[in-house]
Amino acid sequence: MATTQASRIQGLGELIRQASVRGSAPVEQWDPPYCGDIGLKIDARGAWSYRDSPISRMPLVQLFARVLRCEKDGKHYLVTPVEKVDIAVVDAPFLAVEMQVDGSGPEQTLTFRTNTDDIVRCESDHPLLFREQVESGGLKPYVRVRGRLYARLTRPLYFDLIELAVATSQDEDAEYFVVSGGSKFPIVPATSDEMYNFDV
């Protein structure tokens, strides 16, 4: 059984290589048959696994990340030109692990690097969104990487982000927002529709 499972994941990797994927793939344009759940998962820490075995080879993770797709219902899949398989994503598929701040005030731009080495410039097409944590009532920040795929900011980056927050007024009930790439991103809970239910 172990050999069969290993062959399955290697075969999927080979399909992606044969598609000559460079950077992200045009997964929104592909419509292959659905081939079920083969045991892929991304946990809350952004770690990938296959049938509960960690995928430790970063080149393989990066290869799979190029063909990751999220649909309007928030479910994630790996999509190649010839097949589509489930991947369980506990929180977000990526983590934002580094943040660079350029400029200040209305000219400020935030650029993030993810754990799979995507570089994301935060702007209108790559917004910051915040989701409410059910357990604590706090907010978790995310930046859109591409399509409906998001990277959750690590806790240290969240603290750095809050330091950049600007208040709408001096009043006690003032709302806060973060400026980047010419856009303002309010620090308020986003709905599932805002995160996933749009055309890409």
Side-chain angles (χ1 to χ4, degrees), residues 34-57:
Y34 173 65
C35 298
D37 184 352
I38 65 171
L40 287 163
K41 180 179 179 179
I42 305 174
D43 69 16
R45 299 173 293 106
W48 291 57
S49 63
Y50 174 61
R51 298 191 181 276
D52 297 324
S53 296
I55 301 176
S56 56
R57 292 179 54 224

Side-chain angles (χ1 to χ4, degrees), residues 166-181:
V166 178
T168 55
S169 71
Q170 299 298 318
D171 300 333
E172 289 184 6
D173 59 351
E175 295 183 346
Y176 288 82
F177 61 89
V178 175
V179 174
S180 183

Side-chain angles (χ1 to χ4, degrees), residues 17-173:
R17 290 186 187 92
Q18 289 174 6
S20 299
V21 175
R22 296 292 182 270
S24 59
V27 292
E28 309 298 340
Q29 301 171 26
W30 293 344
D31 188 25
Y34 173 65
C35 298
D37 184 352
I38 65 171
L40 287 163
K41 180 179 179 179
I42 305 174
D43 69 16
R45 299 173 293 106
W48 291 57
S49 63
Y50 174 61
R51 298 191 181 276
D52 297 324
S53 296
I55 301 176
S56 56
R57 292 179 54 224
M58 182 51 63
L60 186 58
V61 169
Q62 291 172 325
L63 191 67
F64 288 163
R66 293 173 188 161
V67 294
L68 189 59
R69 183 169 87 191
C70 179
E71 301 192 349
K72 288 187 176 183
D73 58 3
K75 293 182 180 178
H76 294 76
Y77 301 90
L78 291 191
V79 182
T80 76
V82 297
E83 70 176 301
K84 169 182 170 181
V85 297
D86 290 291
I87 179 165
V89 177
V90 173
D91 188 348
F94 307 118
L95 289 180
V97 295
E98 290 183 6
M99 178 175 72
Q100 177 174 306
V101 182
D102 296 302
S104 60
E107 304 303 318
Q108 177 175 275
T109 295
L110 309 180
T111 304
F112 298 94
R113 183 180 70 82
T114 73
N115 59 325
T116 53
D117 287 336
D118 285 292
I119 303 300
V120 183
R121 182 179 184 268
C122 180
E123 55 190 351
S124 59
D125 288 340
H126 300 278
L128 279 171
L129 293 172
F130 298 82
R131 297 182 72 179
E132 189 170 5
Q133 300 182 70
V134 176
E135 63 277 9
S136 68
L139 296 177
K140 291 192 290 187
Y142 300 79
V143 62
R144 184 182 298 156
V145 177
R146 58 182 175 271
R148 300 184 187 91
L149 303 176
Y150 291 85
R152 177 175 55 81
L153 276 63
T154 60
R155 183 178 294 272
L157 288 194
Y158 188 19
F159 292 146
D160 291 342
L161 188 71
I162 293 302
E163 291 292 323
L164 301 172
V166 178
T168 55
S169 71
Q170 299 298 318
D171 300 333
E172 289 184 6
D173 59 351

